[in-house]
Amino acid sequence: MKCVNSLILLVAISSSQNICFQFTHGLANRALVGSASRLNRSTQSVSSSFINGGIGSSNQWGVTGMTSNKNNDKRTQSPIRLGMSSQFPNGDDKTKEIIAEIEDIEDVDMIEKALTQLDAFREMALPYFKESKSGRYLFAGMIALTLLNSGVSVAFSYVGRDFWSALSSKDPVRFNEMIVKFSSALLVGAPVSVIYRFQREKLSIHWREWMTDRTIQLYTSNRVYYSLQSNAQNSGAADETVEIDNPDQRIAEDVRTFTSFSLQLFITIITSVIDLGSFSFILYSIQPQLFLAIIAYATFGTLTTTTLGKKLIGLNYDRLQKEADFRYSLVRIRDNAESIAFYAGEDLENREISDRLSMAIESRNKINVSTRNLEFFTTAYQYFVQIVPVSVVAPQFFSGAIELGVVSQSSGAFNHILADLSLIVNQFEKLAEFSAGVERLSQFMEAIRDADKDREAGSPLMQLPLNATAREEEMMKKEKTNGDAVSTTAIPAFLPTIALHQREALSTATAAAPSSHLDNNAVLNLQNLTLVTPDRRRTLIQNLDFTLAENKNLLIVGNSGAGKSSLLRAIAGLWTAGSGSITRPSEDDVYFLPQRPYCALGTLKDQLLYPSFTNENIDATNATAAVYPEGHRVSNTHLFSQSLTDEDFLNVLEQVQLSDLASRSSVDGDPIKGLNTVMDWSNTLSLGEQQRLAFGRLLVNRPKLVIMDEATSALDMVAESRMYKLLQEMSSEQSGSANGNSDNGQGLTYISVGHRPSLLNYHDVRLRLEGDDGFSVSEIDETLVSRSNQKRFDVVENI
């Protein structure tokens, strides 16, 4: 009964008014406060008897009365009640009184949980109808068709009544007339019913498209996806974080279920209200006792169903998680097929998949058992309804007071009203699954909001944060007001966090607006930087002070685990645990190259542009792509402003020694077609080819600062030398352009992490991270390079 309270409240979601919600919320709060105070007084009055009775130390009772399972958050029996039952098996009056108080609080807690779930539902559902003009039109059309369809049902009730009366009276003329009327009504009613279902499904699809797109925008905003993944991998962090499992399943499946069933639920409620009014009049006009009988029958069925099926909510929540875990294990095999094949790790993978499959099957079996127990009652309930209305009006029929058609009409009206009043009975399994889905989806949306630095706690779940364009405009306003071109990320007060300052885009910077955080001749500044792992259990770097001047290329070296790649993550703003500050150029001017480049889904040209995109499919008036759903907001941050031809892209491929890639990507060998060919590039290209393609991205996007994490590890020495020479040439070109006052005086600067001694040839400064021993900075001169080259030559000679 307790778990189903939330379901009963959710049934009335669409028809609930704000005043009702506030009134119920106030009653629940007052009830909770009153019950808690009564429990406090009762507990105080018997606490001494508990301790004197040898129950144990007082901390045994320092619990809230409810426990929560981390995986599925299912409510279990109160540990206080369990403890009291074991200590007082016979149960004195005082103990029973306290247990009753605890049960009252648990009932109120379920009401509070239902109200919270209702509030989350409204936060997720209403924005679509407020923001989408097409959605409002579709919704209005669906309401009109719902009313029309209900009218058709009422009309068929009277047509059916006269049809059966004519048959009962054995009147051929009247019977033939009713056949004609029935056929005419069918010609009108059938299209109405079909169009009604079509409109309902069309609205459901449009709503799903809008909500899925909005969820993806929120998920990808400000690298929220990375924060949630990092939280999942570092669940033991000192700061409490919410672990979100299977976000893909929540976006793809939970959103679909939310939109489709929410719409179905709303339509069911509207239809039930209309039918209840229409058919209640018919039923009451036939015999008032029928109306009283149906109220009693529906009440009995609802109470019994909620009692028998209360376990289904928690079981459905568990099923959704287990099914998602099973699908994820299959996706891992697909994404890591080559590595598993090299290791011949099929047996281990099969064991892991079988374990997850067995958990999913076990969850299904539990649901099947609970459903079986529930359907013992619901099946009998639905069969028995066939004779209840006929039994009530049968005496009038036998006495000749009413015709057979009236009996048929009373049975139909009784079933209509019973279906309206028995919504819990008929939809309980779907309501239980829907409730679990709402809880998972709202938990996901709350985690997204909490992980987004641009959104405040308590802000609407579906509200978009400021996009990059809006943030840039806001930064420019602050610049004009304060004369400061630096944007600083917020630092939470409860934990030490690295402050990341981003200088205004170098392409638009002016000498009249110097940065207060970054010297004009510096491209990177680290001040008193202490970096720890996200779980805050290990310190990687302590008190690092370093400034990198323009056109001075930096090589970061050190033993494995010294924090080289972690430092790059901190510069990128991905890792913020620690203290101190990092000042660097804006995201528009910085480009990161990881050791294993990411290949996006798209054409070969898309791989070279990544993460930029062209404005081919974008409406210049509102910056909204035609392929996006209504209301999608596109950021202009990575909008590619240059104009490159297909020949330019082919030239870039030739410079990075991939001149034949476009030709072999096309079926007929046409390189132009190859540029626009969509392939699985991650599995098509070798790691060396992917790294060279990543350098091609640099030639296309032309950043001011490049940060590379062993970006040439899969290349031979000759290819590595060629890639770095490309960077040096690009730096010279940009410096030459700078002398023409087009780029504000700065060429390309790059930072590399690597182990190869050959990298010394292409850098000016070396930063060595030495773990607990600190760090050291040294200039790279010709002597150091010659010594390194000689050591490499000796090693090769010995081999």
Side-chain angles (χ1 to χ4, degrees):
M1 286 296 295
K2 297 168 188 171
C3 292
V4 183
N5 286 340
S6 59
L7 291 175
I8 298 174
L9 286 173
L10 283 173
V11 171
I13 284 171
S14 299
S15 59
S16 296
Q17 301 296 323
N18 289 334
I19 186 172
C20 296
F21 174 77
Q22 295 168 0
F23 175 72
T24 310
H25 200 323
L27 285 179
N29 283 334
R30 289 194 292 273
L32 181 60
V33 172
S35 298
S37 61
R38 292 196 304 273
L39 175 62
N40 185 43
R41 292 194 299 270
S42 300
T43 305
Q44 290 175 354
S45 65
V46 296
S47 60
S48 60
S49 64
F50 284 161
I51 297 173
N52 294 334
I55 295 175
S57 60
S58 59
N59 61 6
Q60 283 183 279
W61 308 98
V63 291
T64 62
M66 298 294 294
T67 60
S68 174
N69 184 298
K70 181 178 179 182
N71 292 328
N72 52 26
D73 194 31
K74 294 182 292 185
R75 299 292 184 182
T76 58
Q77 189 175 0
S78 167
I80 294 181
R81 188 160 60 247
L82 290 173
M84 291 180 177
S85 299
S86 62
Q87 295 297 329
F88 300 95
N90 296 327
D92 60 22
D93 294 339
K94 200 64 179 178
T95 304
K96 291 179 180 179
E97 180 182 344
I98 294 176
I99 293 177
E101 294 284 355
I102 294 171
E103 290 176 343
D104 290 341
I105 289 181
E106 290 180 352
D107 289 336
V108 175
D109 183 72
M110 289 306 302
I111 295 176
E112 285 290 311
K113 180 181 178 182
L115 291 173
T116 301
Q117 199 171 47
L118 172 60
D119 190 47
F121 175 90
R122 294 170 64 176
E123 279 196 62
M124 292 187 291
L126 292 181
Y128 167 69
F129 299 98
K130 290 181 179 179
E131 299 181 23
S132 174
K133 186 176 181 180
S134 300
R136 291 193 295 271
Y137 285 144
L138 289 171
F139 182 74
M142 187 202 65
I143 293 296
L145 288 170
T146 300
L147 296 173
L148 189 59
N149 191 59
S150 296
V152 169
S153 298
V154 174
F156 267 98
S157 170
Y158 285 96
V159 173
R161 180 197 65 181
D162 295 340
F163 177 85
W164 286 104
S165 294
L167 183 63
S168 175
S169 62
K170 300 180 181 180
D171 185 347
V173 176
R174 186 183 175 194
F175 180 76
N176 290 331
E177 290 177 355
M178 291 312 304
I179 289 180
V180 173
K181 288 183 179 180
F182 190 91
S183 301
S184 301
L186 189 63
L187 290 176
V188 177
V192 169
S193 180
V194 171
I195 295 174
Y196 156 72
R197 290 194 296 270
F198 169 79
Q199 183 76 3
R200 183 180 68 183
E201 187 63 23
K202 186 176 181 180
L203 175 58
S204 176
I205 293 172
H206 190 270
W207 187 5
R208 181 197 177 186
E209 180 187 32
W210 184 94
M211 189 170 181
T212 302
D213 180 73
R214 175 59 58 88
T215 303
I216 292 173
Q217 287 190 80
L218 294 171
Y219 183 59
T220 56
S221 173
N222 293 320
R223 299 192 179 110
V224 167
Y225 58 91
Y226 182 85
S227 299
L228 294 181
Q229 179 69 16
S230 179
N231 291 343
Q233 293 175 350
N234 301 280
S235 57
D239 51 328
E240 294 185 3
T241 55
V242 178
E243 183 178 352
I244 299 297
D245 62 272
N246 303 295
D248 53 328
Q249 188 260 1
R250 301 191 190 220
I251 295 174
E253 294 296 329
D254 291 350
V255 170
R256 179 187 60 81
T257 303
F258 178 86
T259 55
S260 62
F261 191 79
S262 295
L263 196 57
Q264 178 185 344
L265 182 62
F266 175 79
I267 294 173
T268 302
I269 293 174
I270 294 297
T271 305
S272 298
V273 172
I274 296 172
D275 287 354
L276 193 60
S278 303
F279 289 100
S280 293
F281 173 78
I282 296 174
L283 202 62
Y284 195 84
S285 64
I286 296 174
Q287 190 169 348
Q289 289 86 343
L290 272 176
F291 193 76
L292 298 177
I294 198 172
I295 295 296
Y297 192 74
T299 302
F300 166 74
T302 299
L303 294 177
T304 306
T305 301
T306 52
T307 301
L308 295 175
K310 60 185 179 181
K311 293 182 179 180
L312 279 174
I313 299 177
L315 291 175
N316 275 286
Y317 188 102
D318 186 63
R319 179 189 66 82
L320 291 173
Q321 180 179 353
K322 295 298 188 293
E323 293 283 357
D325 290 341
F326 172 62
R327 286 195 299 270
Y328 178 69
S329 64
L330 297 175
V331 172
R332 279 183 57 85
I333 290 185
R334 183 191 66 189
D335 292 342
N336 300 278
E338 183 175 331
S339 298
I340 295 172
F342 272 124
Y343 280 110
E346 298 84 5
D347 293 339
L348 184 60
E349 296 297 329
N350 280 334
R351 187 175 68 178
E352 178 64 26
I353 293 175
S354 298
D355 289 343
R356 297 194 177 201
L357 175 62
S358 64
M359 289 189 287
I361 295 300
E362 181 184 1
S363 178
R364 282 281 188 178
N365 283 331
K366 290 179 180 178
I367 292 177
N368 191 34
V369 171
S370 294
T371 303
R372 178 204 62 192
N373 297 338
L374 178 63
E375 289 184 351
F376 278 134
F377 171 76
T378 57
T379 302
Y381 177 87
Q382 291 167 358
Y383 275 111
F384 192 67
V385 74
Q386 298 178 18
I387 65 172
V388 171
V390 178
S391 301
V392 175
V393 299
Q396 290 180 284
F397 175 73
F398 293 145
S399 64
I402 59 174
E403 296 178 326
L404 179 62
V406 177
V407 176
S408 175
Q409 186 182 30
S410 66
S411 179
F414 189 93
N415 279 277
H416 264 284
I417 297 175
L418 185 64
D420 300 334
L421 296 178
S422 303
L423 184 60
I424 297 294
V425 178
N426 299 332
Q427 301 284 340
F428 190 88
E429 295 172 30
K430 292 183 178 179
L431 283 170
E433 185 174 350
F434 176 66
S435 178
V438 169
E439 186 170 356
R440 282 177 57 82
L441 189 58
S442 62
Q443 183 189 57
F444 180 52
M445 300 307 299
E446 288 170 1
I448 288 177
R449 180 185 61 192
D450 295 341
D452 195 331
K453 61 183 178 59
D454 286 345
R455 299 176 66 187
E456 298 179 356
S459 61
L461 293 179
M462 304 300 294
Q463 183 183 56
L464 286 171
L466 290 175
N467 61 8
T469 304
R471 286 198 301 271
E472 182 178 345
E473 292 175 354
E474 196 170 294
M475 184 184 69
M476 294 297 291
K477 291 180 181 178
K478 291 182 179 179
E479 176 190 347
K480 292 178 180 179
T481 303
N482 305 325
D484 189 357
V486 178
S487 173
T488 306
T489 57
I491 302 175
F494 55 88
L495 284 173
T497 309
I498 298 171
L500 177 63
H501 305 280
Q502 296 186 44
R503 190 170 66 177
E504 180 193 355
L506 298 177
S507 58
T508 59
T510 61
S515 169
S516 61
H517 292 273
L518 196 61
D519 296 336
N520 288 336
N521 63 343
V523 72
L524 177 68
N525 181 257
L526 311 176
Q527 292 185 352
N528 198 29
L529 178 66
T530 296
L531 178 63
V532 299
T533 55
D535 59 7
R536 300 182 182 271
R537 294 178 178 177
R538 181 187 171 202
T539 300
L540 301 173
I541 300 173
Q542 279 189 315
N543 303 324
L544 173 60
D545 285 298
F546 177 75
T547 298
L548 180 65
E550 293 178 0
N551 302 321
K552 288 290 186 179
N553 303 313
L554 173 67
L555 175 63
I556 303 176
V557 298
N559 296 329
S560 298
K564 303 183 299 297
S565 298
S566 301
L567 178 58
L568 300 190
R569 296 187 184 103
I571 295 174
L574 302 181
W575 281 20
T576 60
S579 61
S581 66
I582 299 174
T583 306
R584 64 169 176 82
S586 69
E587 290 185 358
D588 293 344
D589 295 319
V590 180
Y591 204 103
F592 289 85
L593 288 189
Q595 182 176 4
R596 185 174 185 86
Y598 171 71
C599 293
L601 300 175
T603 65
L604 179 57
K605 188 185 297 184
D606 292 332
Q607 308 310 310
L608 290 170
L609 285 168
Y610 193 84
S612 300
F613 56 90
T614 60
N615 57 0
E616 295 176 357
N617 295 324
I618 297 182
D619 183 353
T621 59
N622 57 16
T624 302
V627 296
Y628 292 131
E630 179 187 14
H632 184 91
R633 189 173 68 190
V634 179
S635 170
N636 290 326
T637 303
H638 297 294
L639 181 60
F640 194 68
S641 57
Q642 302 181 46
S643 177
L644 295 181
T645 64
D646 290 339
E647 294 298 331
D648 293 328
F649 286 106
L650 293 175
N651 182 50
V652 168
L653 290 175
E654 185 176 356
Q655 292 184 70
V656 295
Q657 300 176 335
L658 292 173
S659 55
D660 64 333
L661 180 57
S663 300
R664 59 187 170 93
S665 299
S666 174
V667 177
D668 57 2
D670 185 352
I672 303 299
K673 292 182 180 179
L675 285 174
N676 297 283
T677 300
V678 177
M679 299 179 66
D680 183 2
W681 301 104
S682 296
N683 293 320
T684 301
L685 303 179
S686 67
L687 181 57
E689 289 175 321
Q690 293 179 43
Q691 289 187 342
R692 279 179 281 167
L693 187 66
F695 276 86
R697 291 173 176 172
L698 297 179
L699 298 178
V700 172
N701 288 276
R702 307 190 76 80
K704 302 298 182 182
L705 175 63
V706 179
I707 302 177
M708 298 174 284
D709 186 4
E710 301 193 51
T712 59
S713 60
L715 302 181
D716 56 59
M717 297 297 181
V718 176
E720 177 186 80
S721 176
R722 175 57 183 163
M723 297 304 107
Y724 274 100
K725 285 182 179 179
L726 286 175
L727 297 184
Q728 293 170 350
E729 291 172 1
M730 186 163 62
S731 179
S732 299
E733 292 175 5
Q734 292 180 353
S735 297
S737 299
N739 294 331
N741 295 326
S742 66
D743 247 347
N744 223 30
Q746 187 182 47
L748 172 69
T749 302
Y750 54 84
I751 301 173
S752 301
V753 167
H755 296 279
R756 288 181 177 178
S758 58
L759 294 175
L760 292 170
N761 293 282
Y762 319 114
H763 297 82
D764 306 301
V765 183
R766 180 176 64 180
L767 170 62
R768 179 179 294 277
L769 300 179
E770 300 174 348
D772 295 336
D773 295 330
F775 63 93
S776 62
V777 180
S778 60
E779 294 287 334
I780 299 177
D781 53 22
E782 294 182 2
T783 303
L784 182 61
V785 174
S786 300
R787 190 186 312 125
S788 174
N789 291 337
Q790 183 61 43
K791 288 183 179 179
R792 187 171 73 254
F793 178 78
D794 292 341
V795 171
V796 173
E797 191 176 52
N798 291 333
I799 293 176

